[in-house]
Amino acid sequence: LRQALRDVRSQRPRAAYPPPNPDAPLVSTGDLMVGVGYTLGALGLASLAFMLATLLRSTGGAIGVFFLYVGFLEQMFGLLLRRFGSVELAQKVTPYMPMASFQRPMNGSMWHAEYVERLNTIATWLGQPAQVITPDYFKLVGMPLLWIGVFVGLSFVVFRKRDL
């Protein structure tokens, strides 16, 4: 097994991965931006769960509906749009839905330029075209913040009417 691992490692091309920069800071700006993106996506999921818990007033029901929505309902809505509407309409609507909006900032390549450069180096070595990423900051930051505002605002209104 050790000999097989040595053989595989000896055949691996060294030029595929650029050497690390020793002068680079421990935590770069891109790393911080990726952390902010993950935090934004997690806050979006938390606000959705909070809204469901406030609306349903049942822990089990809120957990069930949350996982049902995350795993099934939004994709089903997109498929129904394609089936009974049109593909163009589905392609215009689905990027603005909550789960798509919360997953988009969690993509590290949207925030980290060095990561994309590293991926492009590997892609070039493999003979694939390089990626050109131009993030749309409204979809990347604005839509998750908008959904978070809607979910928290709806929770506030329902809580205020029901419990105060």
Side-chain angles (χ1 to χ4, degrees):
L1 181 63
R2 288 183 183 167
Q3 185 59 39
L5 285 173
R6 283 189 201 118
D7 292 342
V8 168
R9 288 182 184 144
S10 67
Q11 294 172 3
R12 182 176 52 194
R14 298 277 179 213
Y17 303 100
N21 182 4
D23 298 328
L26 184 62
V27 178
S28 69
T29 307
D31 296 334
L32 291 175
M33 294 300 291
V34 169
V36 167
Y38 272 94
T39 302
L40 184 62
L43 283 175
L45 292 173
S47 67
L48 174 63
F50 179 69
M51 180 197 66
L52 290 173
T54 305
L55 291 177
L56 298 178
R57 297 183 100 181
S58 166
T59 305
I63 291 171
V65 171
F66 176 77
F67 283 115
L68 186 67
Y69 183 79
V70 167
F72 181 71
L73 291 178
E74 189 168 304
Q75 290 84 6
M76 180 59 80
F77 181 71
L79 289 174
L80 289 174
L81 267 178
R82 289 178 195 272
R83 175 79 172 129
F84 297 113
S86 67
V87 175
E88 294 83 20
L89 178 66
Q91 288 175 345
K92 289 179 183 177
V93 171
T94 53
Y96 297 101
M97 295 174 78
M99 287 309 299
S101 296
F102 298 149
Q103 289 174 352
R104 195 174 296 114
M106 292 183 175
N107 183 359
S109 62
M110 292 293 185
W111 303 104
H112 209 297
E114 291 87 14
Y115 177 68
V116 174
E117 180 182 330
R118 197 171 181 89
L119 286 177
N120 285 340
T121 303
I122 295 168
T124 307
W125 182 82
L126 293 173
Q128 297 173 352
Q131 297 179 10
V132 177
I133 296 178
T134 54
D136 181 6
Y137 287 106
F138 174 71
K139 285 183 182 177
L140 198 59
V141 177
M143 283 307 299
L145 288 176
L146 183 68
W147 280 114
I148 290 170
V150 167
F151 292 155
V152 171
L154 186 61
S155 299
F156 176 75
V157 168
V158 168
F159 180 78
R160 182 130 176 144
K161 281 192 178 264
R162 187 184 299 160
D163 294 331
L164 291 181

